[in-house]
Amino acid sequence: MSLIRRHWLSVVAILVSFVVFVIPFIFIVLTAMKDKRQSALLDFSWPEKFQLWENIVDVITTRNWQLLTAFINSTILTVASVTLLVVFAAMVGFVLQRRRTRWNGLINFLILAGLMIPPAIVPTIWLLQAMGLFAKLHGLILIEVAYHLPFSILLYRAFIATIPKDLDEAAIIDGARPLDVFFRIIMPLLWPVTVTNIVVQSVTIFNDFTNPLYYLPGRGNETVQLTLYNFQSQFNTSYHLLFTNILLITIPPLIVFLFFNRQIVAGVTAGAVKG
Amino acid sequence: MTAKFTRTARVAVGIMAFTALSGSALAEDVFMTMLVSNNPSNVATAEAAVAAYMKANPNVTIEIETRPGGGEGDNIVKTRLATGVMNDVFQYNGGSLFQAINPQQNLLPLTDEPFMADIQESFKSVVTAGGEVFGIPNGPAMGGGILYNIPIYEELGLEVPKSWDEFMANNEKIKAAGKDAVIQTYGDTWTSQLFVLGDYFNVSAAEPDFAERYTAGEAKFADSPAAAKGFERLQEVFEGDYMNEDFGAAKFPEGVRKIAQGEGAHYPMLTFAIGAIKDTYPEHVDDVGFFAQPGDSTDSNGLTVWMPDATYIPKSTSNPEEAKKFVAFLASVEACKIRNEAVGATGPYLVKGCFPPSDVPPVVSDMLPYFEEEGRNGPALEFLSPVKGPALEQITVEVGSGIRNAADAAALYDQDVRKQAMQLGLPGWK
């Protein structure tokens, strides 16, 4: 009796997370195994005919091995954008938090404006064209950095507020130059919030659909999310291939999570205690 | 002085020779891109046509890029045209959507090209703006009407209806036999419009000048008894309780499954659905037939026709001559044959000399008689008038679900249309 009273909440939590996370994933896996006909029913059933391997081969070889190109593009895009984001956001957050000037108000306003005002597509494309960055991967990397920078800066600034200023002062007295203070003293202390940043932003950027769709046109420029449109159209959708594709592009982030699981959890909780 | 001059001259000559060389090299090796919508049969056709063209012209390389359909596709096409990065050749809708991409400013006119002589006038009219023709048909015409399940018709001994009363009588018998008489799939709202849009042949039979007066703002759905019938028919089908139980949630793929496997007897739809049936339920292709939406009398039975997407060349292309040559190929009889081989025929072609193969599925062969006789087919309203309200599909879902009555819906649609007409700046609307 007391066992039930003590544990019922955990059981409910496990059940809820099972329904919310595991069942949809099982549905994806099952549908990815089916043939076209059974998958068109879109029901939760056991595949009559297993053809997961055929589906995988189909998906990868579609449109001249497009998925492989897409994986390379998406990896470059995610790694490069997140690296730049982390470095720049930490720098901005540090300076903004430590140095009080009369510009702070304006800078804060600009950061919030970046969060609140939706960017317009056509003028952005004109700007990119003028700079010769349109339909180039590094152009899109800059776009992703620009769109996601404000949120990262807010995370960093809040965290830096918890690091005592005495640390910087001690380092300066010991003869550290400004860049040393930042990269050798502050940056390592920011690890918890950096992990949060990396996780949140790489998931967003890896899953980004609309920005690559508009800013990175052209064959050979696809990112993984755009390959979904190979199997889904307005009037005719191949659900078995669509779900196989979803499965394939869900796996890399999943592996990353399994690998870094401990660090991510440690990072997030450390941030929570300090913050 | 002279020495310096000769050196400059030499450099200049060198540069000129270099550019001349690279210029001729460019003329020999042509690289173009083509933007197609991502419908599987459409991609297959485009790939087959491009492969054949590149084989015949080894110096030309064409890459195919796909884009989504629907609203996302509209955005991509408009964004690319506005920023001047549109592919050398691209596909997009004709009719009212074509008018919305500002053809005179963005597209290359093809009016005087020799291949235009072989394109049917009815198609040219939907890709014409300001007296210039801009596109060629991408595939065959489609019919809007009712798909029916042949085994159910045979089992119950039914005849293909020629009038609305016969259609409703059939529905009653099918319902009495315990089957779903009419399949509706409001999970995809666009599928709900067919009873209204597919009725346009009957509207034009009763009021031949409806489209003109409608564009001018004189004719209204609510005032015209013939035009309001489309909404009334939808209401009658709901009131007769002929629809499948899950009509509110079912989607287009489920409608295709139901009609192919005989879970329902009628599915109001465009004939392109045969492509989806062929893809997913190949053994049921011969079980699905087609008839035009019947009108009031058996005497004036005819088909409402939808035009296919068109293929256009944007003004921004760097290779207009080569792009035109490729488009000429796409408009040739050879391209139809390639299409027949790649995906089969889904309807009658709009290029002279192009015919579907003899072994077409029943949906297509049922459609051909409407094209053989004069006056048994006519284009849908959206190809005759630029005015089409954006909320029609929501309104028809309401009528089809019994939430709103037909008269009310017709009046509401007239208001919806008014906004669109005023945006287009048509005279006579205020």
Side-chain angles (χ1 to χ4, degrees), chain A:
Chain A
M1 192 61 208
S2 70
L3 202 70
I4 296 174
R5 207 179 300 149
R6 214 182 310 150
H7 291 294
W8 70 271
L9 202 61
S10 321
V11 173
V12 169
I14 290 170
L15 279 180
V16 168
S17 57
F18 185 79
V19 169
V20 173
F21 297 110
V22 182
I23 289 186
F25 192 74
I26 295 175
F27 182 74
I28 293 174
V29 175
L30 284 178
T31 314
M33 291 173 177
K34 294 174 182 174
D35 59 355
K36 175 157 184 156
R37 160 136 6 157
Q38 206 194 350
S39 70
L41 295 171
L42 279 186
D43 57 358
F44 206 96
S45 63
W46 196 248
E48 287 160 13
K49 198 175 131 207
F50 280 91
Q51 53 169 51
L52 181 61
W53 180 246
E54 284 96 320
N55 289 348
I56 290 178
V57 171
D58 247 13
V59 166
I60 295 181
T61 52
T62 298
R63 309 215 13 83
N64 208 3
W65 304 80
Q66 196 186 61
L67 191 62
L68 296 188
T69 325
F71 262 121
I72 296 171
N73 285 340
S74 276
T75 312
I76 298 175
L77 174 68
T78 312
V79 171
S81 328
V82 172
T83 312
L84 291 177
L85 263 177
V86 164
V87 172
F88 288 140
M91 284 179 161
V92 175
F94 181 60
V95 172
L96 213 53
Q97 184 62 38
R98 287 292 194 252
R99 188 178 294 169
R100 303 268 162 205
T101 67
R102 58 203 174 95
W103 296 107
N104 279 27
L106 178 70
I107 295 169
N108 279 329
F109 169 77
L110 287 178
I111 291 170
L112 285 179
L115 271 183
M116 289 185 292
I117 300 173
I121 287 174
V122 172
T124 314
I125 292 180
W126 282 335
L127 188 68
L128 287 172
Q129 280 177 324
M131 296 192 293
L133 289 173
F134 183 62
K136 301 269 188 336
L137 195 55
H138 46 280
L140 184 63
I141 290 173
L142 293 180
I143 293 267
E144 297 285 4
V145 172
Y147 285 4
H148 295 106
L149 199 58
F151 181 64
S152 288
I153 292 177
L154 289 187
L155 281 180
Y156 271 113
R157 217 189 54 182
F159 192 84
I160 290 169
T162 67
I163 298 176
K165 220 173 175 176
D166 312 357
L167 271 177
D168 317 11
E169 284 161 3
I172 292 169
I173 289 170
D174 283 348
R177 284 160 300 173
L179 281 181
D180 287 331
V181 174
F182 178 72
F183 280 110
R184 295 172 65 178
I185 309 294
I186 302 298
M187 202 64 186
L189 290 172
L190 295 179
W191 181 241
V193 72
T194 303
V195 170
T196 314
N197 253 308
I198 291 176
V199 172
V200 172
Q201 302 292 28
S202 48
V203 169
T204 324
I205 293 172
F206 190 81
N207 286 344
D208 193 5
F209 178 77
T210 41
N211 291 328
L213 183 68
Y214 290 115
Y215 297 124
L216 200 59
R219 199 166 167 194
N221 277 342
E222 296 81 8
T223 63
V224 286
Q225 306 302 327
L226 295 185
T227 59
L228 295 177
Y229 265 142
N230 282 337
F231 311 107
Q232 180 188 25
S233 67
Q234 199 176 5
F235 304 125
N236 195 350
T237 297
S238 312
Y239 285 104
H240 60 312
L241 298 180
L242 181 67
F243 278 85
T244 312
N245 198 353
I246 292 174
L247 188 67
L248 287 179
I249 66 179
T250 319
I251 285 175
L254 205 67
I255 292 176
V256 172
F257 270 91
L258 291 181
F259 252 102
F260 295 106
N261 194 10
R262 190 178 299 170
Q263 288 195 10
I264 291 168
V265 173
V268 171
T269 47
V273 173
K274 276 186 186 158

Side-chain angles (χ1 to χ4, degrees), chain B residues 260-419:
Chain B
Q261 299 190 335
E263 290 168 50
H266 298 124
Y267 189 28
M269 188 37 62
L270 295 174
T271 50
F272 74 78
I274 192 66
I277 296 176
K278 235 159 123 178
D279 256 14
T280 317
Y281 309 98
E283 76 280 15
H284 287 299
V285 163
D286 291 331
D287 291 347
V288 182
F290 175 79
F291 56 84
Q293 181 163 325
D296 282 335
S297 99
T298 48
D299 303 331
S300 74
N301 180 259
L303 177 67
T304 310
V305 177
W306 263 257
M307 292 298 166
D309 283 2
T311 306
Y312 308 101
I313 305 174
K315 273 203 178 124
S316 59
T317 175
S318 50
N319 249 327
E321 287 314 310
E322 290 293 330
K324 275 182 191 167
K325 277 189 212 160
F326 178 56
V327 166
F329 171 76
L330 292 178
S332 68
V333 176
E334 202 181 333
C336 307
K337 285 185 185 147
I338 291 169
R339 187 188 168 90
N340 283 342
E341 269 172 40
V343 293
T346 48
Y349 284 101
L350 298 159
V351 177
K352 276 174 204 151
C354 279
F355 298 102
S358 47
D359 57 334
V360 292
V363 168
V364 179
S365 56
D366 286 350
M367 196 171 137
L368 296 178
Y370 295 106
F371 287 86
E372 278 155 12
E373 284 169 55
E374 260 324 288
R376 284 200 70 197
N377 71 74
L381 182 58
E382 59 199 85
F383 298 109
L384 296 171
S385 164
V387 186
K388 186 182 182 229
L392 177 60
E393 43 196 274
Q394 281 76 20
I395 297 172
T396 46
V397 164
E398 287 187 327
V399 179
S401 319
I403 299 169
R404 190 184 289 278
N405 69 42
D408 203 9
L412 185 66
Y413 182 55
D414 285 332
Q415 282 177 23
D416 181 40
V417 154
R418 193 177 140 259
K419 292 173 219 153

